[in-house]
Amino acid sequence: VNWRQFLARNTSGSLTVEPQSSILYSTAVVFSRLLEYDDENNTAEATSNFFPAYELQDFSWSRMNLSDHTAVLCGSVPRSSNGSLCLQLSVFGSEGRAELWPRLLHSANSSQVEVWLNGLLPRSNTSRFILELQAVGGAYPLSKVDDIQFIDDEYTPSIFKVSQWVSSANDSSDVLGFIQWKPVAYRKSCPALEDATPCRNSDPLAQSGNTTTASSALIQAFYSDPKTMGMNVSFGMAGEPFYNSTMFLSWTMLVGVGSPPVDSFSPMVIGIMTAGLGIPIVLLLVGGVYLFFMKKKETSEMAYEPIN
C-alpha cells in the first residue's frame, strides 16, 4: 500500500498484490445506495413514489467491531441518530453453515455478508426498501444471475431456490467468482418462519466504472479500468407487512471465488428417503417371492400321479 497515493484518492495503483502474476481473478462488491419508496397501493412494484436515495458513502460510520472471525460496521444517516444500517462480514476456515437462517453453505473460499436495517425511520407508513449493489471486476465482472431450484428446504424452511450472480470467462461453464443468496429476508433479528419475507433481484446492467471509483477509495486504488455491473435487490411482496411493522430487515449473501457451494441432502434426509423408498421395495420383493413359492406349491399339489 502506497499510503500517500491512497489517501490522496486521485490515482490507481496505490493498492497492489505482489507479484502481479499471482492474481488469477479478483472482484469487489460495493453497497452503493439504499432506496425507499412509498408502496401505498401495496403492490411491491417499485415504479414510482421514490424518496431521495440514501447514498451509503455519505453515512456516518462507526468504528469497525472485530470479534473472532467477524467484523461489524454500522452507519447512520448524516445529522440523524435514528436507526442504522449495519454490515457483518464473516470469514471461514472450512465448510459449514451459520446457526441462523438462511444457513447458507460456506467454504474457506467464501465470505458471508449480512446486511440489516434497524430502527431507521421510514418516510411513510407504507415504505419498502431496495438495496443497490455494484459488482466490480477486471476482464470478467459478475454478469448474470442464475436461479437454481431444490426439492429440499431443511436448512431454509419454505425456500426451495438459491440465486447466484456469477462471473465466467467468455460465457464458459467455469465460474470464476460469485455472489450467492436465498431469495428471502427477515423482519426480526432472530429469524423465524413467520418473519420471513421474499426478496427479488433485477437483471444486472453495466454501470459507469468512473462513478464507482469516485465513491470508493479501495476500488480506485486497486482497479485502473474497472468493469462494473449493477443490480437491485427489493424486499417484500404484495400483501406482506411493511417495514414499519417491525422496524427491522435483514438479508444475507455469500461472496466467493471459484464455483459456488452446492447444497445437498443431509444424512438424516438421505436416511428418511432410503427408508421411505427402500421399505416398499423390500416388501414388494418379499411379497413376490412368497407368491411365487405359493403358486409353485399349488401347482405341485395339483399334478397327477403317474399310472404304473
Side-chain angles (χ1 to χ4, degrees), residues 253-265:
M253 70 179 194
L254 207 65
V255 183
V257 296
S259 297
V262 178
D263 268 317
S264 59
F265 293 114

Side-chain angles (χ1 to χ4, degrees), residues 34 36 54 56 58-62 73-87 115-123 129 243 246-249:
L34 180 68
E36 180 184 356
Y54 291 113
L56 299 189
D58 296 332
F59 271 36
S60 300
W61 295 96
S62 63
L73 186 66
C74 291
S76 58
V77 180
R79 298 174 298 279
S80 173
S81 60
N82 294 321
S84 60
L85 182 144
C86 296
L87 298 97
V115 187
W116 67 84
L117 282 176
N118 186 15
L120 181 66
L121 290 179
R123 287 171 279 190
F129 286 92
Y243 168 76
T246 60
M247 301 289 286
F248 186 90
L249 186 67

